[in-house]
Amino acid sequence: MTLETKLQIEVLKLLEDKHLASWYAEDKKYIYITTNGIYGIRIPKNKFFLNCDYMKPMPMLISNFIPDRTDKLHRLTVTDEKLDMVVGTGAILRCSQFDTCINSKILKKIFKKKCRLYSKDSKSPVYFVLKGEIYAVVMPIDMSEKDKNHAEV
């Protein structure tokens, strides 16, 4: 099952409450969706099967998927280090300038083989890029100095 299909099934489960899923579809080729505001994905229109009438429109969602957004960003590497959180764990991502962290379950769910991850700094969104195009954006988890000391390998 493709990532696009899995995430649409997740959205389908949330459609009873119109405020849990958001979308934007003014683009000619893609639909943009988010289930919680923590991450968003881009789905080709020909692979999108949901009725957007049951979701809250979010026009600003597309601004995270501007193609040249990754030009001045740092490339991140996924590490084996984890950060214990109240609910689950965070995966630590690293570049030579900083570390950042995103929810491990989200990383596992949306990571595709051969994709590259980019971010401006530790508090900026993490962009998932495949073949030069952003297909997903994830908001980072706040890593204080205290939290960094609790990271485990």
Side-chain angles (χ1 to χ4, degrees), residues 16-40:
E16 289 179 7
D17 184 346
K18 195 172 186 174
H19 300 287
L20 291 178
S22 301
W23 67 282
Y24 185 69
E26 292 300 316
D27 188 294
K28 292 179 181 175
K29 293 170 50 178
Y30 301 103
I31 304 276
Y32 303 87
I33 61 172
T34 182
T35 57
N36 52 17
I38 295 173
Y39 71 96

Side-chain angles (χ1 to χ4, degrees), residues 44-80:
K45 282 189 177 181
N46 64 348
K47 293 183 180 182
F48 191 79
F49 58 80
L50 296 176
N51 182 344
C52 293
D53 291 341
Y54 296 99
M55 294 187 279
K56 175 178 72 170
M58 183 184 271
M60 67 188 132
L61 193 56
I62 194 173
S63 66
N64 290 304
F65 293 86
I66 297 169
D68 62 350
R69 189 172 277 275
T70 60
D71 288 349
K72 297 179 182 178
L73 301 181
H74 302 281
R75 185 167 173 198
L76 301 170
T77 304
V78 179
T79 70
D80 291 334

